[in-house]
């Protein structure tokens, strides 16, 4: 079992920055794929950023490329999402996910942290 706890959400004005953190525990070190997802009201959950735990490969959805950066600190069992130049359309609940493989449905999820961006 893997437990994930997100933090770092909040309310900012457009153009501002936030850094989300996700701390893993349990069998976290067996995970090979970590990711951040978001879900806005009335919309489906979407993939925002993915990182392979070897640290060499990352993926971003087009709408956040150049603004968001996913990273990990293995010593702290933490994955981060640095969000810069935030836009109102980034408003959503952000979730951390983990799995042994990338490309499929993630098996482990945190409870989410809310991000609100005002214009």
């Amino acid at each position: 079992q893997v437990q994930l706890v997100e933090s770092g959400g909040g309310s900012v004005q457009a153009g501002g920055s936030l850094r989300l953190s996700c701390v893993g525990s349990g069998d976290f070190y067996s995970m090979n794929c970590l990711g951040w997802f978001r879900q806005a009201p009335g919309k489906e959950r979407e993939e925002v950023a993915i990182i392979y735990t070897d640290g060499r490969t990352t993926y971003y959805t087009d709408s956040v490329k150049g603004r968001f950066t996913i990273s990990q600190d293995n010593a702290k069992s933490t994955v981060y999402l640095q969000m810069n130049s935030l836009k109102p359309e980034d408003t959503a609940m952000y979730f951390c996910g983990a799995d042994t493989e990338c490309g499929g449905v993630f098996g482990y999820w945190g409870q989410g942290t809310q991000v609100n961006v005002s214009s």
Side-chain angles (χ1 to χ4, degrees), residues 34-106:
L34 306 172
W36 285 97
F37 299 73
R38 65 187 180 188
Q39 187 167 18
K43 296 187 176 181
E44 294 187 355
R45 186 176 296 190
E46 69 166 337
E47 178 182 289
V48 176
I50 300 293
I51 186 167
Y52 285 71
T53 54
D54 63 6
R56 290 182 226 145
T57 305
T58 57
Y59 294 101
Y60 298 91
T61 192
D62 286 345
S63 62
V64 308
K65 285 180 181 177
R67 300 188 298 122
F68 290 11
T69 303
I70 188 170
S71 62
Q72 60 181 16
D73 184 333
N74 290 332
K76 297 181 179 180
S77 301
T78 302
V79 57
Y80 301 99
L81 185 69
Q82 177 66 44
M83 305 187 295
N84 299 327
S85 302
L86 282 161
K87 303 176 181 180
E89 51 264 43
D90 295 318
T91 294
M93 182 71 80
Y94 283 71
F95 298 89
C96 173
D99 207 282
T100 55
E101 296 182 0
C102 289
V105 177
F106 277 47

